[in-house]
Amino acid sequence: MNFEADPDEAAFREEVRAFIAEHLPQDIAERVRRTAHPAREDVTAWMRILHRKGWSAVGWPEQYGGPGWGAMRRIIFEEECLYADAPPQHFANIHSVGPVIYTFGDDAQRKQHLEPLLSGDVIWSQGFSEPNAGSDLASLTTRATRQGDDFIVNGRKLWTSDAQDSDFMFTLVRTLADAPPHRGISFLLIDMKTPGIDVRPIKLLDGSYAVCEVFLDDVRVPAANLVGEEGQGWAIAKFLLANERAFSAEVPCTKRDMKRLIALAKTQRRGGGVLWDDPLFQAKVACLQADLDALEYTVLRAIMSGDHAASDLASLVKLPGSEMRQRVSELTAEAWSAYGLTQYPAAHGVAGAALPGPIGAQGAAETFAFRRATTVYGGASEVQRDIIAKTILRL
Ligand SMILES: Cc1cc2nc3c(=O)[nH]c(=O)nc-3n(C[C@H](O)[C@H](O)[C@H](O)COP(=O)(O)OP(=O)(O)OC[C@H]3O[C@@H](n4cnc5c(N)ncnc54)[C@H](O)[C@@H]3O)c2cc1C
């Protein structure tokens, strides 16, 4: 297979690069460069800019507001955005709930939600996990009981990313008490302004408050917010999680981090020379680069053969992809030496404050700490290995 970009793709890359150079505000790029957790306002501002161009949801079909690009164009676009430090597309909006609504939702739900999802005017969070339902999601106990035209929801969601900033949360709830665990689950959209919702942010290892506990106490949700049929929630969640895991290989992100790591190692003084002169450090970078190239070719091969949507591929690429994101953050922290161990306040609401150390180091320790989570969220590594063993190796 030839993995070189063809002239069309090269021209497309130039077009994207020129658009970003013209439209991405530099103060936003500067803030994104310094943190693992871009602010909601910056994410929304960039989504609005992209939306005006019709590029805010690059994986979506044209009929729902996407550009209708193939997988190669999506990768090129994503790489260029990352290299320029553009804020990421809002994950829950664009990669999770959006595809669910245009695939399983009714006309009224599409009309109400798709446009504000695309523009970033409405931000979503994902309420699946619970205190006793993470890997074993089907054991979730949050209950939604039908009362006339509404559901009354009671329960507790946990690890809900950015719930404190979200306007809506899509949830899995148990609506059919007597059905077998997988069949009793439904997919419900909840307006976060509804009385009875209490959101409590959780402090993480990196010092951020990127996840929350969400308490739901007699929350009245219109039955019109049910997506698909009652009891179809598990099938919808499987569709969504496969989407999420395929995306979670995050090769473009690790490629960018590797380029920056190598550039950094060539400037960091060590002994009488620079870090890059150290053969041990070079060997660690080389091992990671070889693994990353193999992963990238696996993804590209799947794209070129049209298999990239296959659900078993999702676990195969999520597993090594999430581990590589951790490895590059470890090497980056090592390269920054003492600065790589310093937790900076910039990401946590004090952006703009005068900070010690070189600009590039701000965020290295935070990223290192937060990347511990990549092998947990979106399905833990042990669970991915289990899926690979069962579905691919047929053990
Ligand atoms: C930063 C972060 C953001 C998150 N964001 C969200 C979000 O927005 N929405 C949401 O719904 N959830 C979110 N999660 C939750 C995440 O999906 C769960 O943490 C994950 O599914 C694991 O569930 P758990 O934490 O309950 O761990 P458990 O399922 O209790 O697992 C504990 C350990 O046991 C292992 N284990 C479990 N089952 C098996 C098995 N069958 N075989 C072998 N080992 C096993 C796991 O791999 C893990 O190491 C987030 C988590 C993190 C860390």
Side-chain angles (χ1 to χ4, degrees), residues 40 44 47 60 90-98 100-101 109-110 112-118 120-127 160-171 187-192 225 227 240:
R40 172 178 170 158
T44 301
M47 280 178 77
W60 291 23
H90 193 269
F91 196 92
N93 278 31
I94 301 301
H95 301 291
S96 304
V97 73
V100 164
I101 290 177
Q109 288 164 347
R110 289 179 186 157
Q112 179 185 355
H113 295 298
L114 291 185
E115 177 64 24
L117 263 163
L118 285 164
D121 287 338
V122 169
I123 291 293
W124 289 72
S125 56
Q126 171 175 314
T160 316
S161 295
D162 301 324
Q164 73 274 45
D165 279 338
S166 66
D167 307 294
F168 266 84
M169 175 171 71
F170 56 95
T171 55
F187 196 99
L188 201 60
L189 312 178
I190 301 183
D191 184 334
M192 295 299 273
N225 286 13
V227 178
L240 182 152

Side-chain angles (χ1 to χ4, degrees), residues 24-35 42 84-87:
L24 175 63
Q26 277 316 295
D27 59 323
I28 292 184
E30 186 65 25
R31 285 192 289 275
V32 168
R33 201 167 297 135
R34 292 174 187 222
T35 177
D42 288 342
D85 292 306

Side-chain angles (χ1 to χ4, degrees), residues 126-129 134-135 159-161 211 370 373 376-378 380 382-383 386:
Q126 171 175 314
F128 283 9
S129 305
S135 304
W159 311 124
T160 316
S161 295
V211 298
F370 187 64
V376 176
Y377 62 64
E382 291 80 2
V383 172
D386 211 29

Side-chain angles (χ1 to χ4, degrees), residues 199-231:
V199 178
R200 299 185 197 169
I202 301 169
K203 189 171 186 182
L204 290 179
L205 190 64
D206 67 347
S208 72
Y209 291 85
V211 298
C212 300
E213 267 183 298
V214 181
F215 294 81
L216 301 144
D217 188 11
D218 283 335
V219 178
R220 186 172 285 275
V221 180
N225 286 13
L226 180 74
V227 178
E229 306 290 322
E230 232 182 295

Side-chain angles (χ1 to χ4, degrees), residues 22 137 157 168 186 198 204 233 305 321 337 357-358:
E22 189 178 343
L137 195 53
K157 295 291 174 183
F168 266 84
S186 299
D198 181 15
L204 290 179
S305 56
S337 189

Side-chain angles (χ1 to χ4, degrees), residues 14-61:
E14 285 309 316
E15 182 189 348
V16 172
R17 199 173 286 170
F19 177 84
I20 294 171
E22 189 178 343
H23 294 280
L24 175 63
Q26 277 316 295
D27 59 323
I28 292 184
E30 186 65 25
R31 285 192 289 275
V32 168
R33 201 167 297 135
R34 292 174 187 222
T35 177
H37 305 286
R40 172 178 170 158
E41 309 80 66
D42 288 342
V43 172
T44 301
W46 181 232
M47 280 178 77
R48 282 200 189 115
I49 292 168
L50 290 177
H51 185 47
R52 284 197 287 276
K53 176 80 174 164
W55 286 0
S56 68
V58 294
W60 291 23

